[in-house]
Amino acid sequence: MTWPFTEEHQVFRRSVRRFLEAEVAPHAEAWEAAGRIPREIFRRMGELGFLGITAPPEYGGQGGDLLFAVAFLEELPRSLMGGFAASVSVQEFMATAHIAAHGSEGLKRRYWAPSIAGDKVGALAVTEPDAGSDVAALRTAAVRDGDVYRVTGSKTFITNGAEGDFYTTAVRTGGDGASGLSLLVIDADTPGVKVARRLRKVGWHASDTAELVFEEAPVPRENLVGPENGGFGLIVEAFALERLCAAAIAVGSADLALETTVRHLGARKAFGRPLTAFQALTHRLADAAARLEAARHLTYHLARLLMEGRPAVAEAAMAKLVSTELLVELADLCLQCHGGYGYMEEYPAARFFRDARASTLAGGTSEIMREIVARTLVDRFAAAPAAPAPPPPKEKPMEESKSPTEAPGAPAGPPTVESIARSLPGRFLAEKAEGWSSVFHYRIKGAEKPEWTVRIRDGACTVEEGHHGSPDCVVEMKEDTFLAVETGKMNPQTAFLMGRVRVSNLTEMMRFIKLFRPLER
């Protein structure tokens, strides 16, 4: 099938496959044994335009759409090294993704352009020994000291960590939680930066994976990516692309494992017949092939959503979950169908088996993917309209009817955007404001009165219809999302992760939401 790819995409795919099969795969054994990928191959990929597929020409890129990247990622397993696919995808779509989207022109010229050319290799340093998927719990500290940040802490499981030239690093520049994180680009040769050790892995042998230590490492302030204390939002924003990479590589790996297995079965005989004549084997492969097509098109669907500019948080988790877990099962089946030969290192089935296992761990474990999908599912239906209410009872005599006592700050009747907005002063916790002043502009799409200004000043909260003054933070969402969050039917964090809430200053917003009692319901 060629959908959704054009002939131009397919020509590109074929060129990638020819390159991998001719210039990379023949070296798989040697590079696996060495535990590293030669720099020359990165430069060669840069010459061929494979490291800047979606980057604009002014930085040396090809300016292609995301489907060119998907085709490239699906072909990477033809290198016969899961570690090669991991290292290259980190270089092109993770280590440089934040710089490309939010870095200054100087950062783009110093790091992104050389990475596209293959002259520099980068790593994404987020995970720590005590914090992985829980990004808000990261502890590596960056303390401002004049024109530099002094970085102290450690990172682990860093692909390209030992051989890389720079690390796009998540650091804590503010207080606890998500609102205190920032992103810094740190050169590997910075004083105080050390590769504590290379990590030995079950698979992915060709890629170097390291534990890093930072000891008062001085990093120029101009190496900050995006706003200070705004790193959490940038990290979350890039998750969907990272999971698209994992899904596309898993699909390509599963495709290669299936192809290799069918060819092997056709070439081997038992009891005078080729192994492809035995349904005990081929029916299991048929099931895997059907599931592989489903995973493939879920991955393509995710790519389409991202091309349309949609956050696709749940779809990204689904695509990674389905494709990587299928890969693990298919790699196991591949080895089984090879019999004793599959357990021998000289056969690719053994490496497929070893390398597949990492896919359900890197970039967020399967358990985290399920949690994301589950939260989305629960919040989606919690926010959905309830079933029709039963007919109201007959009216009672006026003397039997009693009006409920309205809670302070609670809107009377069914909540609306206006009633909730006007309830904010009554729910304001002045003792937590601590002299803080800030102005928020709300844009609630679809509401009868969509624009509101909320001011926090001198221990008081005021609300005005319309936009007034210069805002410190702009908050945008649809009416149904606003109502669902305010009435407790949707978790605010989930709404943000799903892209349903857009916030111009996450730091201000994190403080703002702590200043109000929940809406009485």
Side-chain angles (χ1 to χ4, degrees):
M1 293 183 66
T2 59
W3 184 91
F5 302 99
T6 66
E7 179 57 27
E8 188 177 6
H9 292 119
Q10 297 297 58
V11 168
F12 173 74
R13 180 192 291 274
R14 289 192 289 270
S15 70
V16 173
R17 182 175 296 195
R18 283 195 300 269
F19 162 74
L20 292 169
E21 292 179 343
E23 301 186 41
V24 179
H27 305 288
E29 291 292 340
W31 296 357
E32 286 268 297
R36 64 184 300 271
I37 300 166
R39 279 304 181 92
E40 292 73 21
I41 205 65
F42 282 99
R43 296 189 184 97
R44 176 63 174 149
M45 294 178 76
E47 291 173 5
L48 295 172
F50 292 161
L51 297 180
I53 295 169
T54 60
E58 57 262 36
Y59 298 102
Q62 304 303 304
D65 63 29
L66 195 57
L67 289 177
F68 281 100
V70 171
F72 175 74
L73 291 162
E74 283 187 292
E75 293 302 314
L76 279 179
R78 299 281 168 173
S79 66
L80 301 182
M81 294 172 283
F84 181 86
S87 182
V88 171
S89 64
V90 165
Q91 159 82 347
E92 183 166 3
F93 301 107
M94 298 172 211
T96 55
H98 300 293
I99 300 172
H102 301 285
S104 66
E105 184 64 20
L107 289 178
K108 290 177 182 179
R109 294 295 175 186
R110 295 206 316 271
Y111 297 100
W112 193 25
S115 296
I116 291 170
D119 294 329
K120 283 191 176 183
V121 173
L124 180 64
V126 175
T127 302
E128 297 180 359
D130 297 322
S133 296
D134 185 6
V135 176
L138 298 178
R139 295 190 296 181
T140 295
V143 179
R144 184 100 57 90
D145 180 12
D147 292 332
V148 301
Y149 291 96
R150 300 282 177 183
V151 180
T152 301
S154 62
K155 300 291 180 179
T156 194
F157 307 144
I158 307 305
T159 299
N160 297 342
E163 300 281 340
D165 298 297
F166 66 90
Y167 315 120
T168 303
T169 310
V171 297
R172 185 163 298 284
T173 49
D176 295 337
S179 61
L181 296 179
S182 298
L183 286 177
L184 285 177
V185 182
I186 304 178
D187 288 301
D189 60 0
T190 301
V193 176
K194 299 178 182 178
V195 177
R197 60 186 177 121
R198 288 175 178 257
L199 300 173
R200 297 177 60 190
K201 308 183 293 296
V202 172
W204 284 11
H205 290 164
S207 70
D208 64 284
T209 305
E211 184 175 295
L212 307 176
V213 173
F214 305 92
E215 298 175 347
E216 294 286 319
V219 181
R221 286 178 59 187
E222 59 262 29
N223 280 27
L224 181 69
V225 180
E228 186 174 84
N229 297 327
F232 178 79
L234 306 189
I235 294 169
V236 170
E237 177 183 277
F239 277 160
L241 177 59
E242 183 175 347
R243 288 160 188 167
L244 174 65
C245 291
I249 290 173
V251 166
S253 300
D255 212 26
L256 181 59
L258 184 63
E259 175 188 326
T260 302
T261 303
V262 172
R263 291 182 186 279
H264 175 79
L265 294 180
R268 299 283 298 175
K269 289 186 177 181
F271 308 104
R273 293 188 296 168
L275 294 182
T276 49
F278 293 88
Q279 291 184 357
L281 297 175
T282 56
H283 281 195
R284 293 181 68 188
L285 293 174
D287 287 341
R291 292 173 59 198
L292 175 55
E293 281 306 297
R296 188 192 315 277
H297 287 284
L298 177 56
T299 301
Y300 294 168
H301 173 59
L302 169 60
R304 179 180 63 82
L305 293 177
L306 295 181
M307 290 173 70
E308 292 174 356
R310 298 167 64 181
V313 175
E315 292 84 356
M318 291 176 185
K320 182 182 186 298
L321 175 66
V322 170
S323 58
T324 58
E325 295 216 330
L326 170 63
L327 173 59
V328 170
E329 293 180 35
L330 187 51
D332 182 76
L333 177 58
C334 174
L335 188 150
Q336 187 70 24
C337 288
H338 277 72
Y341 291 104
Y343 205 60
M344 300 299 109
E345 286 286 356
E346 62 193 89
Y347 276 75
R351 192 178 301 146
F352 292 161
F353 180 76
R354 285 189 282 105
D355 288 349
R357 195 60 186 83
S359 65
T360 61
L361 304 174
T365 64
S366 291
E367 289 72 25
I368 293 296
M369 298 303 102
R370 288 187 172 91
E371 184 65 18
I372 291 170
V373 175
R375 288 183 183 180
T376 304
L377 190 67
V378 170
D379 284 332
R380 178 188 301 166
F381 288 107
K394 294 181 179 179
E395 292 187 9
K396 295 182 180 181
M398 288 296 292
E399 62 272 18
E400 296 181 15
S401 177
K402 296 182 179 180
S403 299
T405 302
E406 184 177 316
T416 64
V417 169
E418 180 176 6
S419 65
I420 292 173
R422 295 194 184 282
S423 75
L424 289 174
R427 296 189 282 131
F428 183 62
L429 301 172
E431 65 277 9
K432 292 188 176 183
E434 299 178 356
W436 180 51
S437 296
S438 195
V439 178
F440 289 77
H441 282 180
Y442 273 80
R443 294 192 181 102
I444 311 300
K445 299 177 182 178
E448 184 178 351
K449 297 180 178 180
E451 297 184 348
W452 295 86
T453 298
V454 182
R455 297 178 187 272
I456 309 297
R457 182 186 299 163
D458 300 328
C461 170
T462 59
V463 175
E464 299 175 81
E465 185 183 347
H467 288 165
H468 308 279
S470 178
D472 298 293
C473 181
V474 177
V475 186
E476 297 179 288
M477 69 189 87
K478 292 182 179 180
E479 181 182 25
D480 58 349
T481 300
F482 179 82
L483 295 175
V485 169
E486 287 290 341
T487 57
K489 294 178 179 179
M490 178 179 289
N491 181 285
Q493 183 179 4
T494 301
F496 175 76
L497 291 174
M498 292 173 65
R500 295 186 180 182
V501 179
R502 295 184 181 273
V503 179
S504 66
N505 188 324
L506 182 61
T507 304
E508 292 288 289
M509 192 64 189
M510 294 292 288
R511 183 165 186 179
F512 178 81
I513 61 178
K514 298 177 181 178
L515 300 182
F516 299 90
R517 291 193 305 274
L519 192 69
E520 297 287 346
R521 3 183 235 283

